[in-house]
Every structure is written in C-alpha cells, then in structure tokens.
Amino acid sequence: MDTASSDTRTNADRAYDLIRERLVMLDIRPGDPINDDQLAGELGFGRTPVREALKRLERERLVIAYPRRGTFATIVDMTDLADISEIRKQLEPTAAARAARVATSQARERLSELISVLSEITADDDPREVLRIDVGVHCEIYRAAGNPHLEDILVSLDGHATRIWCLFIDRLPDIADHVREHISLLQAIVDGDEEKAATLTLAHVTGFEEAIRALV
C-alpha cells in the first residue's frame, strides 16, 4: 500500500485488518465469542474502532451479532464451497485478465517482487505462513485489476475460501505447491498476457475446490 493511502487509514481500518486476519486464519475459531473490550486491549485501539470494524466484518459474514447474546465468529459452512467456487470461477479469471491489461508499472513491480517471494517457498515452510502469503498474492492481483468493486467482492470471497483451507490445513500436504502455482500466473499478468492469466486462474480456483472435495 502506498504512503498516501496509508496516511488516510483510520484506526477502524487498522482494527478491521487485524481482526479480519484472525478470523480468516481461524486464530479466532468458528463459533468463538468475540469480546470487543478484550480485542481493543489486545490491539491497542479504543472500543469505537473495534466496534466499527466488527460491523464491517458482520457485513462480510465473518462475524454475527445476536441481541443480548453478543458477537461470534461465524461457522465455516462447507455447503458454501460450491457457491463460493461458482462465483470465483467467473470473477477471478476476469480480475486476472484485467490486471494483465491495466495494471500500472508499480503494480507490476509489486507482482514481480511476489514472484521472488513465492520462488523461495519450500515444502518445509509453516503451512499457515504459506497460506498468509497466498492471501497477500490474491489481494495484490485484485488490487492490480484496478476495479475497487471487483476487488471488494473477491477479497471477501477469498477470505471465506481461506477459512475452508484452514480447516483442512493439516490434511493438505501440497499447500506449498498450490501457492507456488501463482508464479506462472503472476508472470502472465506482468507480461500482459490476459488469456494465459485467465486460464491459469481458472485452473487454480478449480484445483482448490477439487482438493477440498477430495477430503470431505
């Protein structure tokens, strides 16, 4: 993120990012109660930014608030897999092709840097850290596409897909290989090859769904 955009970010934005990562990576487990006072203390923010962040996360269906009961992390529902995959198969290739077409020189430079990061991933790396890299790669592709509406949709969907990954992370021995698949995709975007970027993205999303279904 550039300096200008960083300077305009509020404490609510920062709280949102931190809490969202905990929810997506299942550091806050599905069904767990969420205490806004405790979170505010842990994150070093006041209660108001945390509450604003939780309202935003509720719209993304990552938390749910019940009157007089409190706020909880949503359950990861495996029946959502087909719905999530259906939309991602349509929109992810669109975003990748668009990124290949319109990405700025700065965006292409960031994607090139990520290629180097991905090249260093090994099967011995912590799967959770590899998955965090995967999330970052996806976000950079969505951002490079230059359509904030498309970006918002895909960031939300990728978050739910990552929660599903995390449920099975101990049973998926090839996470490093799955994430390294992005190397050729990122290169296609950097090279401006729209068709290849879209094709590789569709294969990646389809492979994710197939890998999960093989374990269910």
Side-chain angles (χ1 to χ4, degrees), residues 95-167:
R98 181 177 170 82
R101 184 171 69 254
V102 308
T104 64
S105 58
Q106 292 87 351
R108 293 180 200 273
E109 184 176 343
R110 287 195 298 269
L111 296 177
S112 294
E113 291 171 355
L114 283 173
I115 290 174
S116 298
V117 173
L118 294 175
S119 298
E120 295 178 359
I121 291 175
T122 72
D124 295 328
D125 289 339
D126 181 348
R128 288 176 59 78
E129 293 308 313
V130 172
L131 206 51
R132 289 181 200 276
I133 295 173
D134 179 75
V135 171
V137 169
H138 281 232
C139 287
E140 283 294 346
I141 293 172
Y142 307 151
R143 182 183 177 195
N147 183 327
H149 303 287
L150 180 61
E151 180 180 359
D152 286 348
I153 293 169
L154 286 174
V155 165
S156 177
L157 289 172
D158 186 63
H160 288 283
T162 301
R163 294 184 92 208
I164 293 173
W165 263 129
C166 286
L167 280 182

Side-chain angles (χ1 to χ4, degrees), residues 44-116:
F45 297 116
R47 291 176 65 186
T48 298
V50 169
R51 287 179 174 177
E52 290 178 11
L54 290 174
K55 288 179 181 178
R56 186 173 169 188
L57 291 163
E58 186 173 14
R59 291 194 294 272
E60 292 189 23
R61 300 185 180 184
L62 289 171
V63 304
I64 185 168
Y66 297 102
R68 296 179 296 279
R69 286 184 54 198
T71 301
F72 299 81
T74 54
I75 299 298
V76 179
D77 188 346
M78 289 304 300
T79 62
D80 289 340
L81 177 61
D83 293 337
I84 292 170
S85 295
E86 180 182 17
I87 303 170
R88 292 183 73 209
K89 286 175 184 176
Q90 296 296 320
L91 296 186
E92 294 260 3
T94 298
R98 181 177 170 82
R101 184 171 69 254
V102 308
T104 64
S105 58
Q106 292 87 351
R108 293 180 200 273
E109 184 176 343
R110 287 195 298 269
L111 296 177
S112 294
E113 291 171 355
L114 283 173
I115 290 174
S116 298

